[in-house]
Amino acid sequence: TNVSPPGHDLVREFTDAFRAAGLKVGLYYSLLDWQHPDAYPLDLPGYPKSNRSRDHARYVDYLHGHLRELMTRYGRIDVFFINAGIEGEVKSIPDASLATFDRVMAVNVRGSFLVSKYALPLLRKQGGAIVHLSSGVATTGTRNRAAYTASKGAVLALTKSLAVQFGRDHVRVNAICPG
């Protein structure tokens, strides 16, 4: 849940903190990717609606190519800050749609999984960190946002699993849970 006041740039705070620590910062604005013809349909204002079939494997290859470019053309990358998140419907579970649940899980959990998957080979060679943006609701819950809460809980569990598995490779994996 975004509790930042309107007009407040949360990413700027992280960017400034990383730079103050002497780290290079690169931003990869993945929402642009959701306009790829094979991306998972978001049904957000301003995005075209389509009933045509999508080739998710082709979209994953496209995403992998973007990450490969970021990891090979711009020098050392110390931190991957992964903020994959849409909220979905604000409804009680009996009134919520399965399609929205699936969409929220696909964007929030699958997005975090895929970027982590493709960042880890590089980070295992050189060391570094992955930071997932989860949410305070991952540990407390909230009303009428079951899909979002479940997705951010899954991101938190993914973070813990990766931290245990890849810590010995000098890859730190943490989550920030605002709210």
Side-chain angles (χ1 to χ4, degrees):
T1 303
N2 184 355
V3 294
S4 301
H8 180 78
D9 186 354
L10 185 63
V11 173
R12 178 63 170 218
E13 291 179 25
F14 292 114
T15 302
D16 290 346
F18 291 149
R19 286 184 177 146
L23 301 175
K24 292 181 182 178
V25 177
L27 300 177
Y28 176 75
Y29 187 62
S30 65
L31 193 57
L32 298 175
D33 291 349
W34 292 107
Q35 295 191 43
H36 185 278
D38 291 310
Y40 200 93
L42 286 181
D43 296 331
L44 294 174
Y47 286 81
K49 294 189 186 300
S50 171
N51 292 325
R52 69 171 195 75
S53 64
R54 296 169 190 269
D55 183 347
H56 190 72
R58 190 166 59 189
Y59 173 70
V60 169
D61 288 342
Y62 170 81
L63 173 65
H64 190 193
H66 271 272
L67 289 171
R68 188 173 37 249
E69 178 182 355
L70 181 65
M71 294 184 300
T72 59
R73 292 188 57 197
Y74 298 99
R76 180 182 168 95
I77 298 174
D78 296 297
V79 178
F80 281 84
F81 182 84
I82 303 169
N83 178 16
I86 61 170
E87 188 172 72
E89 299 171 321
V90 180
K91 293 182 177 179
S92 177
I93 284 183
D95 300 321
S97 74
L98 180 58
T100 296
F101 180 85
D102 289 344
R103 184 171 50 253
V104 170
M105 295 300 281
V107 172
N108 299 2
V109 182
R110 187 179 295 167
S112 296
F113 171 85
L114 286 172
V115 176
S116 298
K117 173 183 174 62
Y118 296 130
L120 278 164
L122 173 77
L123 293 175
R124 290 178 75 191
K125 288 179 191 172
Q126 69 173 34
I130 292 174
V131 179
H132 289 132
L133 187 63
S134 181
S135 173
V137 301
T139 60
T140 63
T142 190
R143 294 174 50 92
N144 297 325
R145 289 178 176 86
Y148 179 79
T149 302
S151 73
K152 290 304 183 172
V155 168
L156 189 56
L158 173 66
T159 302
K160 291 176 181 181
S161 179
L162 295 176
V164 169
Q165 183 173 354
F166 296 103
R168 66 177 168 251
D169 295 330
H170 306 289
V171 178
R172 294 174 315 284
V173 185
N174 298 97
I176 299 172
C177 298

